[in-house]
Amino acid sequence: MSTPDMTKPVAGGVEPMVRAENVHKSFGAAHILKGIDLEVAPREVCCLIGPSGSGKSTFLRCINHLEQINAGRLWVDGDLVGYRQRGDRLHELRDREVAAKRRDIGMVFQRFNLFPHMTAIENVMEGPVQVRRESKAVARERAAALLDRVGLADKAGSYPSQLSGGQQQRVAIARALAMEPKLMLFDEPTSALDPELVGDVLDVMRGLAEDGMTMIVVTHEMGFAREVGDALVFMDDGMVVESGHPREVLGNPQHERTRAFLSKVL
């Protein structure tokens, strides 16, 4: 792990919610991330696009330390991800400390990963009760409010097998929100859904953006990126090829590789 100057980053007088500096990640001989530099401001929606295998999902997993980076630095809300600085050296956090930091970062995966033996409301309650030691009464009240927020108040007592894919994904979003995160990561949240179910999930995400949630979204939904995103980042082969305002990148891409990719998906 590289150990350059570890001063907390500040951009334009406002500390970014997420900052990546020269982030590298390898799995064995496979070099997946090749020097990612990226900043996401508080309340910003940053959409990551690019071909399969470009490193988008791996980068998300590095942000909440589900994967450990091999070089570079990552901050979330001014704190180093996975490490602390002592003098001029970095020391890896203990598992318990990593888990505590991860509570502030919600993540929604392609697959819903709901507990099949729990109802929708029990799935949403589980984190606050088990991790934050909230009372079941308090957790249930918040879970009910969150299910209402994602349009599923009438499904609180349903088990995942009784829900459509889109409904399960909305429960998964409510479950992530139950931990009251400061940052939400979405890893292609609509890619496993039938086309007619995508809109309901995107509507929930659109509402979160309107409420000011900081979000990083790996997506193939270019309409969502154009309408909701504040920044669009095109990744290929483990690198950021092009970034900017979504309408500018989608409407007038500057890099040949970006143009080639967009010609196939727009």
Side-chain angles (χ1 to χ4, degrees):
M1 185 74 184
S2 58
T3 57
D5 176 29
M6 301 308 299
T7 304
K8 286 186 177 181
V10 176
V14 178
E15 190 173 88
M17 178 61 73
V18 177
R19 183 180 179 187
E21 185 176 281
N22 195 32
V23 169
H24 290 256
K25 175 62 184 175
S26 296
F27 295 101
H31 196 178
I32 307 301
L33 300 178
K34 303 175 181 177
I36 300 294
D37 293 307
L38 182 70
E39 289 189 2
V40 180
R43 304 176 66 87
E44 187 174 65
V45 178
C46 176
C47 294
L48 305 183
I49 65 171
S52 296
S54 58
K56 307 181 301 296
S57 296
T58 297
F59 179 59
L60 278 198
R61 293 174 65 84
C62 290
I63 291 173
N64 65 0
H65 208 57
L66 288 175
E67 300 290 352
Q68 182 178 340
I69 64 177
N70 300 116
R73 294 173 284 173
L74 264 172
W75 290 269
V76 172
D77 199 22
D79 292 328
L80 277 170
V81 173
Y83 297 88
R84 70 163 51 89
Q85 180 189 4
R86 289 177 182 166
D88 60 352
R89 301 191 65 181
L90 292 183
H91 299 267
E92 189 167 6
L93 298 179
R94 297 174 180 174
D95 290 345
R96 182 181 299 178
E97 295 171 302
V98 170
K101 297 281 189 183
R102 195 177 287 141
R103 296 174 197 171
D104 293 330
I105 305 173
M107 187 159 184
V108 178
F109 300 87
Q110 297 177 36
R111 296 292 175 178
F112 326 120
N113 299 324
L114 299 179
F115 295 113
H117 62 289
M118 293 183 179
T119 63
I121 198 166
E122 289 169 343
N123 266 280
V124 178
M125 292 170 56
E126 182 71 1
V129 170
Q130 297 298 326
V131 178
R132 296 174 57 165
R133 304 302 181 188
E134 287 186 359
S135 71
K136 288 188 176 181
V138 170
R140 182 175 292 274
E141 182 177 359
R142 184 187 300 121
L146 287 169
L147 287 174
D148 182 55
R149 181 178 184 177
V150 300
L152 294 174
D154 60 334
K155 300 295 184 181
S158 299
Y159 289 91
S161 63
Q162 299 170 315
L163 302 174
S164 70
Q167 290 169 335
Q168 290 185 61
Q169 191 62 293
R170 283 185 278 157
V171 173
I173 294 173
R175 180 179 60 182
L177 292 174
M179 296 296 286
E180 300 183 316
K182 62 181 69 172
L183 169 68
M184 285 285 286
L185 308 176
F186 292 87
D187 188 6
E188 298 189 32
T190 61
S191 64
L193 302 180
D194 292 332
E196 64 268 23
L197 303 177
V198 168
D200 290 339
V201 173
L202 294 181
D203 285 344
V204 170
M205 296 170 63
R206 190 174 287 110
L208 291 177
E210 291 171 354
D211 290 344
M213 175 64 74
T214 309
M215 300 160 59
I216 303 179
V217 184
V218 174
T219 185
H220 294 295
E221 301 291 339
M222 299 302 164
F224 175 86
R226 181 185 291 109
E227 297 166 18
V228 181
D230 299 297
L232 184 67
V233 176
F234 172 64
M235 288 179 61
D236 188 35
D237 194 27
M239 296 178 285
V240 172
V241 176
E242 186 167 347
S243 62
H245 190 278
R247 294 182 185 275
E248 295 175 359
V249 175
L250 294 174
N252 187 29
Q254 299 300 301
H255 196 283
E256 181 180 348
R257 182 66 188 92
T258 314
R259 291 193 292 270
F261 174 78
L262 292 177
S263 70
K264 298 176 181 178
V265 300
L266 291 179

